[in-house]
Amino acid sequence: TALPIAIAAALTYRHLLLEQADRHQQGLTASARNLGFSLFADLQRAADRLDAEARLLHERQQSFDGRLPDRLQDLFTAVELRELQSTRPVVVPGLFLNRLQTEYVGAGKPVLWIGTRGATTPVMQILQIDAAGEHVAIGTVDPAMFGEQAVSIAGEAIVAITDVRP
């Protein structure tokens, strides 16, 4: 009688462990999804503000000239306006863009560029072509923009936004 009870107990225990692991995995998936949506919204807000600033400066026939406008200090650590070397396909001096990024910049859509540029930590930049199609505004994203919540949820995890829909 002890053997069937032990087998039933072992199976029940295994079932509970698998169920607990499944609930934990669902919680991590939900946290990752929420983090992704939050990061995407923050990046979209930064791209919109960079675009608005670049359009304003273009209308005034001005440039970022190495300064960071007060309106962008909460999102970026630096901004610059670079003249495009070519518009078909778009060539941004100093940056290697893949085919999809080139198409997006050329279509006037913001692009997130991540690179190291010799630094130990990645540099995130948002690229936005200007209204005339002659320059690209490049904003270096301030990592503090994402807040402590994103850092504490991600920990040592690698975060990637995989949705490439326009």
Side-chain angles (χ1 to χ4, degrees):
T1 61
L3 184 60
I5 292 173
I7 292 173
L11 289 175
T12 301
Y13 180 71
R14 182 174 183 273
H15 177 71
L16 290 174
L17 286 178
L18 290 174
E19 193 174 294
Q20 182 182 14
D22 188 46
R23 277 196 308 269
H24 183 67
Q25 181 63 40
Q26 288 174 355
L28 288 175
T29 300
S31 292
R33 182 176 28 253
N34 292 338
L35 175 60
F37 286 139
S38 175
L39 290 175
F40 186 77
D42 288 344
L43 290 170
Q44 187 63 53
R45 180 173 53 94
D48 291 345
R49 296 253 305 272
L50 180 64
D51 181 46
E53 187 69 22
R55 286 178 190 275
L56 179 68
L57 291 176
H58 176 75
E59 289 170 6
R60 295 179 181 172
Q61 297 181 348
Q62 296 175 333
S63 178
F64 287 115
D65 63 25
R67 65 179 174 76
L68 181 62
D70 293 339
R71 295 178 294 275
L72 298 179
Q73 288 183 357
D74 60 329
L75 300 172
F76 299 100
T77 58
V79 292
E80 61 182 299
L81 203 60
R82 290 189 193 168
E83 189 172 341
L84 295 176
Q85 290 178 340
S86 170
T87 56
R88 298 266 184 236
V90 171
V91 176
V92 179
L95 296 179
F96 174 75
L97 302 178
N98 65 33
R99 184 186 57 77
L100 185 61
Q101 291 170 326
T102 300
E103 289 174 9
Y104 269 54
V105 168
K109 298 177 183 178
V111 168
L112 178 66
W113 183 86
I114 301 175
T116 55
R117 286 190 163 182
T120 55
T121 58
V123 175
M124 281 192 292
Q125 294 181 314
I126 295 176
L127 287 69
Q128 178 71 51
I129 200 165
D130 72 351
E134 298 170 356
H135 297 84
V136 64
I138 302 172
T140 303
V141 177
D142 184 357
M145 173 180 98
F146 300 117
E148 294 178 17
Q149 181 184 11
V151 173
S152 66
I153 291 174
E156 295 295 319
I158 296 172
V159 178
I161 298 174
T162 57
D163 185 4
V164 293
R165 288 179 292 163

